[in-house]
Amino acid sequence: LLEKMADVSLKEAALIVGVVAACYWNSLFCGFVFDDVSAILDNKDLHPSTPLRNLFQNDFWGTPMSEERSHKSYRPLTVLTFRLNYLFSELNAVSYHFLNLVFHVVVCIVFLKVCKLFLDNRSSVVASLLFAVHPIHTEAVTGVVGRAELLSSIFFLAAFLSYTKSKGPDNTIVWTPIAVTVFLVAVATLCKEQGITVVGICCVYEVFIAQGYTLPALLDTAVQILRGKGSIPFSMLQTLLKLIVLMFSTLLLVVVRVQVIQSQLPVFTRFDNPAAVSPSPARQLTFNYLLPVNAWLLLNPSELCCDWTMGTIPLVESLLDVRNIATLTFFCFLGSLMVFSLRYPGDSSKTVLMALCLIVLPFIPASNLFFPVGFVVAERVLYVPSMGFCILVAHGWKKLSNKSVLRKISWVCLAAVLFTHALKTLHRNWDWESEYTLFMSALKVNKNNAKLWNNVGHALENEKNFERALQFFIQATQVQPDDIGAHMNVGRTYKNLNKTKEAEESYMIAKSLMPQIIPGKKYAARVAPNHLNVYINLANLIRANESRLEEADQLYRQAISMRPDFKQAYISRGELLLKMNKPLKAKEAYLRALELDRTNADLWYNLAIVYIELKDPTEALKNFNRALELNPTHKLALFNSALLMQESGDARLRPEAKQRLLHYVKEEPQDSNGYFNLGMLAMDDKKDMEAEAWMKKAIRLQPNFRSALFNLALLYSQTGKELMALPVLEDLLRYYPDHTKGLILKGDILMNQKKDIVGAKMCFEKILELDPKNVQGKHNLCVVYFEEKDLIKAEKCLVETLALAPHEEYIQRHLNIVRSKIASLGAMEQSSLPSDGTAATEAKKNSFQNLKEAKSEKTTTQSTVDNKEHSKNKKPTEKSSVDKETPKKSTKEIKDIEKKRVAALKRLEEIERILNGE
């Protein structure tokens, strides 16, 4: 009979699907908000590159269960569904919301099947419709992380339905449904922890529904047995056997769960749950008062809020507090229902009993009564308890509608409740459209929660609206003056507004609020780990002042002393030590951080930078490669490892360097540095046309790209396209009028190709204005004087040049030639010192050796640890090569230069023979 009644018709299923779709269609237009950011956007466990085993080693948020900062929420099967979403649509929020909607439909249909075990068809449909439209469910359905509730509920109800089939004919035990129940309980628990509570519901069902016992009957039997006047009935022994099996399997699940969290409870602060750290009787009074608060949310879901932590519900600190009346009323009502359901036989009492079980048992893990949780009230945890509430309401409605006097009123009231709840749900969904809309809607309900003010500030901060964000952060500090995170947020925003003094003051206030170290007591257990970032943020701020580097280092060391496994402190300290030119100590800091986390690509990258500072390119390249093994798209590692290969001079590494740069420009198509360095590689490989194309692309993206402009001009001059080089040099000198090598190259082209002595002279004179001791520019100016037939000035110029570079033999020879010309006016009239012979050849000999600028500057950018309360924002150390104009030359290139030098010297000797009249 039960199985027949429990069948769900196609019409009923279609009705539920239609109602859910009508209430939740707009949820598809919502994004990732609040906890979705940590669980979806920041969770690497969703990525296909992450091994599947990590899902079973990490918590719901992607944090290893072994780490103290883990919330210990172990829900690998829920994360697996997120991963499937990511596989099909990556971070397209629509697919995540659609799957949540589908799961809610499934829960409603399975719930209807459960209702039919205890209610008639009409009342079951009413209960299911009430459940489908109840506004309290928007957090579980529209919030993506609420999927844990949905999935757990599906297997929770399925486990219960399976257990209802464990009673065979003549009260025999059917073991297969029990085995299936145990399996489904395990699956439900792997979706969310409260899934295990279905075992308690199965036990109550077995005793009071399947066996039909009442509490007085059980007490009578127990008394008879204790008095020795009777034995345990066989049916009761069978019941005990089933309960023992259920309890043993539950105990096994609990043991496994404790092993998973490594016997550690998560660390929460007084800001998450103020009552949890309050003394007696405030703790007990507040926790008990939260029960009628949750019941009121089910009864009247008019004012919903996404975050009930911090000061949302003031503590109940006295027995005289008027709110205790609500607590007393709630327990009286609950107690009367329990007495009715346990004492009297009949279908009505059984229905009430199962409804109470669905309300009470699944809520126990979130009740704070047995162990503290990280929230005061959470609407999503009422998802399963609301099932019992809907059964109670439907049962009560059935009683009213059966009375002819109240039949019409009951139907009108039911229609009004369904309609208003559906409208509220539809309207509430829009609140989850963005973080700003969500937290602003919460502030309308509750202005005493500093976390809400902080989160609106974060939403505005993400939109770069720092001025307005600052107002909300300051309001958070006024609502909760001892909120460390709020003061950190104020400091970070002041920093973003370049108000360094105000930022430091805010960080100092946050630092002063940190608990003092108590000898012998573990520090990490008394403060949120992310609050320790105040030391990192303050150090990062003051280290911009070169005179305060030691002070910054002291702050990093203080953070490490408080928490030796504080990875970010080692990372930030390593960057500071590099800045202080202490690469060996920086290396120690990064190696210590790697002991804590060997899967962090940024750490391997930073260690590579340290090895570059230590002049160990081989080790640097190994560490770059480790970073890329962990994260093949690590942009900085791709870019800088390619540069290292290029600078090594090893032609065998060039193909790999090119592949990495091509990968980099694919990831960063708007970064001109990638195209420039591809051009430099092509120049090294003598691929002139390819080099020209890459250089031009870099210049298109950044028209004032100093190195790209110069090296493109140099490429033209080396390949016989000197006239094409001139407009490029004009652009270069327009942006950088003091570019010495550009002036030399331009002067050389003007003198040799354009025969523009005046223009060349202006170039060389400009060089000497900038650098009076520039030998190349000075020598070329001497050549100009010789071309102008001013031999006396040429002689004086060469004497001055020789004084600047007394070991340059060619300058002495040129001086001898000029003096010989002065001594022999006849010879002087018949010959000249061509610029492309003496000076230009020597200039080119030097320019082609030196013009490809080899200025490779390594810079490091500090890690930013300005954390929001529940988010991380890391930026790894960077090694920039914007000013690099060429890599180190290979042995082959040096030989080519030497050949050019020999050829130039031969030409010089030939000219000198002509000048000397030989």
Side-chain angles (χ1 to χ4, degrees):
L1 179 63
L2 282 178
E3 287 185 20
K4 188 176 179 181
M5 287 180 64
D7 289 335
V8 176
S9 70
L10 190 60
K11 286 183 180 180
E12 291 168 340
L15 175 63
I16 289 172
V17 170
V19 168
V20 171
C23 289
Y24 286 99
W25 64 268
N26 57 340
S27 69
L28 301 178
F29 300 96
C30 298
F32 295 115
V33 296
F34 203 17
D35 289 339
D36 297 346
V37 175
S38 299
I40 309 295
L41 300 183
D42 297 339
N43 192 347
K44 292 181 180 177
D45 287 348
L46 271 63
H47 301 171
S49 57
T50 304
L52 268 175
R53 66 175 180 274
N54 283 25
L55 271 66
F56 296 89
Q57 296 171 350
N58 298 342
D59 68 12
F60 188 52
W61 317 97
T63 305
M65 293 292 288
S66 57
E67 291 192 14
E68 189 172 352
R69 63 191 176 94
S70 168
H71 281 199
K72 312 302 180 186
S73 45
Y74 188 66
R75 304 162 192 172
L77 296 186
T78 304
V79 180
L80 183 61
T81 66
F82 292 152
R83 184 164 171 140
L84 292 173
N85 270 122
Y86 188 92
L87 188 65
F88 287 105
S89 63
E90 294 195 351
L91 294 176
N92 180 2
V94 175
S95 73
Y96 294 80
H97 287 294
F98 178 75
L99 198 53
N100 271 25
L101 195 152
V102 170
F103 286 144
H104 183 52
V105 168
V106 173
V107 173
C108 292
I109 292 172
V110 179
F111 176 57
L112 174 58
K113 195 175 178 70
V114 170
C115 288
K116 289 192 175 188
L117 297 175
F118 313 108
L119 296 168
D120 58 34
N121 272 349
R122 189 172 63 183
S123 301
S124 297
V125 172
V126 167
S128 184
L129 289 176
L130 279 171
F131 181 80
V133 303
H134 203 297
I136 202 74
H137 299 154
T138 50
E139 183 170 339
V141 181
T142 310
V144 177
V145 294
R147 186 178 298 176
E149 313 289 339
L150 306 176
L151 281 173
S152 179
S153 299
I154 291 171
F155 295 107
F156 178 102
L157 295 174
F160 176 69
L161 285 172
S162 176
Y163 187 80
T164 60
K165 298 174 183 177
S166 64
K167 182 180 176 181
D170 301 322
N171 209 21
T172 56
I173 301 174
V174 184
W175 289 106
T176 302
I178 295 176
V180 172
T181 297
V182 171
F183 172 75
L184 291 173
V185 169
V187 173
T189 307
L190 290 175
C191 293
K192 193 178 180 186
E193 298 78 0
Q194 70 183 28
I196 201 169
T197 60
V198 72
V199 172
I201 294 173
C202 291
C203 291
V204 172
Y205 173 84
E206 177 65 31
V207 175
F208 297 100
I209 310 298
Q211 301 302 327
Y213 294 118
T214 60
L215 193 58
L218 286 174
L219 290 174
D220 287 343
T221 303
V223 169
Q224 293 296 326
I225 293 170
L226 289 173
R227 289 179 176 177
K229 294 182 179 180
S231 60
I232 301 175
F234 180 71
S235 62
M236 191 172 284
L237 287 173
Q238 285 187 310
T239 300
L240 283 173
L241 180 60
K242 290 170 76 173
L243 295 182
I244 288 169
V245 170
L246 275 180
M247 291 299 182
F248 180 77
S249 60
T250 304
L251 184 63
L252 192 62
L253 283 174
V254 170
V255 169
V256 171
R257 184 69 175 83
V258 170
Q259 289 296 316
V260 166
I261 66 171
Q262 301 182 1
S263 303
Q264 293 179 342
L265 286 173
V267 177
F268 298 117
T269 70
R270 60 191 176 86
F271 299 110
D272 297 318
N273 191 348
V277 293
S278 299
S280 298
R283 181 168 65 252
Q284 290 78 13
L285 290 174
T286 304
F287 283 157
N288 280 287
Y289 171 68
L290 293 179
L291 300 177
V293 169
N294 281 281
W296 181 249
L297 284 174
L298 288 173
L299 192 63
N300 178 29
S302 59
E303 293 188 339
L304 299 177
C305 180
C306 63
D307 193 311
W308 294 79
T309 55
M310 303 187 86
T312 304
I313 299 176
L315 297 174
V316 182
E317 298 180 293
S318 167
L319 288 170
L320 300 177
D321 193 311
V322 69
R323 289 174 294 175
N324 289 318
I325 297 174
T327 306
L328 190 62
T329 303
F330 170 79
F331 278 109
C332 287
F333 180 71
L334 187 68
S336 62
L337 286 177
M338 289 182 70
V339 169
F340 168 77
S341 61
L342 292 172
R343 186 171 182 178
Y344 301 105
D347 291 340
S348 183
S349 61
K350 290 179 180 179
T351 301
V352 171
L353 178 61
M354 293 312 299
L356 288 176
C357 286
L358 281 169
I359 292 173
V360 174
L361 295 179
F363 186 73
I364 286 175
S367 66
N368 282 289
L369 296 177
F370 296 97
F371 49 83
V373 293
F375 53 82
V376 179
V377 172
E379 292 164 12
R380 62 180 175 271
V381 303
L382 293 173
Y383 189 77
V384 176
S386 69
M387 294 177 185
F389 173 79
C390 290
I391 290 175
L392 271 184
V393 172
H395 183 57
W397 174 83
K398 174 190 169 184
K399 295 286 187 185
L400 291 175
S401 63
N402 284 340
K403 296 180 179 180
S404 58
V405 180
L406 300 174
R407 183 176 293 118
K408 288 184 179 180
I409 295 175
S410 66
W411 277 101
V412 170
C413 290
L414 175 64
V417 168
L418 289 172
F419 182 71
T420 54
H421 276 36
L423 277 184
K424 174 65 178 178
T425 299
L426 191 67
H427 182 263
R428 175 65 174 157
N429 287 333
W430 289 121
D431 291 341
W432 291 80
E433 185 177 11
S434 69
E435 293 212 318
Y436 179 76
T437 56
L438 179 64
F439 297 127
M440 285 301 290
S441 71
L443 281 176
K444 292 174 185 175
V445 175
N446 171 30
K447 291 182 170 58
N448 296 322
N449 186 340
K451 193 173 177 182
L452 293 174
W453 293 98
N454 279 319
N455 285 333
V456 174
H458 290 317
L460 291 167
E461 188 180 32
N462 291 336
E463 296 171 1
K464 307 299 181 187
N465 191 347
F466 298 122
E467 291 283 358
R468 191 147 174 253
L470 182 61
Q471 296 173 10
F472 282 89
F473 288 141
I474 290 174
Q475 182 63 34
T477 64
Q478 293 170 355
V479 169
Q480 187 93 30
D482 59 349
D483 181 7
I484 297 170
H487 290 287
M488 288 169 64
N489 292 334
V490 172
R492 183 184 62 254
T493 311
Y494 273 130
K495 182 183 175 185
N496 289 331
L497 292 170
N498 296 318
K499 296 182 178 180
T500 308
K501 182 182 177 183
E502 291 88 344
E504 184 173 347
E505 288 173 358
S506 296
Y507 284 141
M508 290 301 292
I509 293 171
K511 181 170 172 282
S512 69
L513 293 170
M514 295 289 285
Q516 299 301 308
I517 299 175
I518 300 172
K521 186 168 183 181
K522 193 174 182 183
Y523 185 84
R526 295 182 297 110
V527 67
N530 63 318
H531 283 174
L532 282 173
N533 284 323
V534 67
Y535 295 96
I536 310 301
N537 296 349
L538 183 57
N540 288 346
L541 181 70
I542 66 176
R543 77 191 220 183
N545 184 340
E546 295 289 338
S547 64
R548 301 181 71 184
L549 297 182
E550 288 292 345
E551 186 182 346
D553 189 35
Q554 177 63 33
L555 285 166
Y556 291 137
R557 283 185 281 133
Q558 189 174 353
I560 291 169
S561 69
M562 291 177 173
R563 191 178 178 89
D565 63 345
F566 193 11
K567 179 179 62 180
Q568 191 58 57
Y570 292 105
I571 295 172
S572 298
R573 184 167 186 248
E575 294 162 8
L576 177 69
L577 291 168
L578 271 181
K579 188 175 182 179
M580 295 170 73
N581 199 25
K582 297 179 179 179
L584 287 173
K585 286 189 175 181
K587 177 183 170 184
E588 289 176 13
Y590 286 134
L591 288 174
R592 178 71 183 95
L594 281 169
E595 289 176 15
L596 300 170
D597 183 7
R598 299 191 67 82
T599 62
N600 189 322
D602 293 336
L603 279 174
W604 291 104
Y605 171 83
N606 287 3
L607 189 58
I609 298 299
V610 171
Y611 279 115
I612 288 175
E613 294 294 331
L614 293 170
K615 312 297 181 191
D616 191 345
T618 305
E619 280 299 315
L621 189 56
K622 285 181 183 176
N623 285 285
F624 279 138
N625 291 340
R626 286 297 301 273
L628 289 170
E629 286 172 15
L630 292 166
N631 181 7
T633 60
H634 195 293
K635 298 171 190 175
L636 294 170
L638 284 169
F639 183 74
N640 288 292
S641 62
L643 289 191
L644 199 61
M645 293 174 175
Q646 186 179 3
E647 290 172 358
S648 71
D650 188 344
R652 293 171 299 178
L653 294 177
R654 284 184 201 155
E656 178 61 22
K658 182 178 180 180
Q659 288 304 311
R660 292 189 182 187
L661 285 172
L662 287 170
H663 194 167
Y664 175 77
V665 297
K666 184 180 177 182
E667 295 290 327
E668 287 286 339
Q670 298 303 309
D671 186 0
S672 55
N673 291 292
Y675 302 106
F676 166 71
N677 283 285
L678 280 166
M680 297 304 296
L681 271 176
M683 286 179 74
D684 291 341
D685 288 334
K686 303 295 184 291
K687 297 177 180 178
D688 299 331
M689 291 182 67
E690 185 180 331
E692 179 184 353
W694 288 125
M695 291 293 181
K696 284 182 174 178
K697 191 157 189 177
I699 293 165
R700 276 198 300 275
L701 288 170
Q702 187 182 339
N704 66 339
F705 196 157
R706 180 179 181 272
S707 302
L709 286 166
F710 176 77
N711 282 288
L712 179 60
L714 184 62
L715 176 66
Y716 284 142
S717 70
Q718 287 178 327
T719 54
K721 300 176 182 177
E722 288 88 347
L723 296 182
M724 291 178 68
L726 275 179
V728 180
L729 288 168
E730 293 290 349
D731 289 340
L732 172 67
L733 295 170
R734 185 171 71 253
Y735 292 116
Y736 308 100
D738 57 349
H739 195 290
T740 303
K741 293 179 181 179
L743 288 165
I744 289 174
L745 186 57
K746 181 182 176 184
D748 179 67
I749 294 171
L750 288 174
M751 188 160 56
N752 289 293
Q753 302 299 322
K754 302 281 285 185
K755 306 301 180 185
D756 182 359
I757 304 300
V758 176
K761 183 178 181 181
M762 290 173 65
C763 289
F764 300 140
E765 285 176 343
K766 175 70 174 175
I767 292 169
L768 294 177
E769 283 178 24
L770 298 168
D771 180 12
K773 295 184 178 181
N774 188 292
V775 175
Q776 202 170 351
K778 184 87 171 171
H779 176 266
N780 285 10
L781 185 60
C782 300
V783 175
V784 170
Y785 292 148
F786 188 87
E787 290 289 336
E788 291 178 339
K789 313 297 183 184
D790 193 342
L791 297 180
I792 301 301
K793 206 168 183 179
E795 180 190 22
K796 181 183 177 184
C797 177
L798 285 166
V799 169
E800 292 172 356
T801 308
L802 189 62
L804 293 172
H807 302 296
E808 291 289 351
E809 187 184 349
Y810 74 94
I811 299 174
Q812 180 65 59
R813 287 202 303 274
H814 290 177
L815 179 59
N816 292 340
I817 292 171
V818 171
R819 284 174 173 169
S820 175
K821 297 290 285 181
I822 292 172
S824 177
L825 291 176
M828 182 179 61
E829 292 172 356
Q830 295 173 8
S831 65
S832 65
L833 185 62
S835 63
D836 64 337
T838 320
T841 305
E842 291 295 335
K844 281 197 174 184
K845 175 190 74 175
N846 291 298
S847 67
F848 287 135
Q849 189 172 356
N850 301 319
L851 277 181
K852 281 180 83 177
E853 299 181 24
K855 183 170 66 175
S856 177
E857 298 179 6
K858 293 186 289 291
T859 64
T860 58
T861 301
Q862 69 186 45
S863 271
T864 303
V865 200
D866 287 337
N867 285 30
K868 299 172 185 174
E869 282 188 67
H870 55 269
S871 67
K872 310 174 189 70
N873 182 17
K874 280 189 309 185
K875 188 161 78 176
T877 304
E878 295 182 22
K879 173 177 174 282
S880 172
S881 69
V882 173
D883 293 322
K884 180 189 181 309
E885 299 202 8
T886 190
K888 192 184 297 181
K889 294 173 178 58
S890 65
T891 307
K892 183 176 180 298
E893 289 174 314
I894 293 171
K895 288 180 180 177
D896 290 341
I897 291 167
E898 289 302 320
K899 287 178 183 178
K900 290 179 182 179
R901 183 192 290 273
V902 172
L905 288 172
K906 285 181 180 178
R907 174 66 175 150
L908 181 61
E909 289 171 3
E910 183 181 340
I911 292 169
E912 288 172 354
R913 283 198 299 273
I914 295 170
L915 292 172
N916 291 327
E918 293 180 9

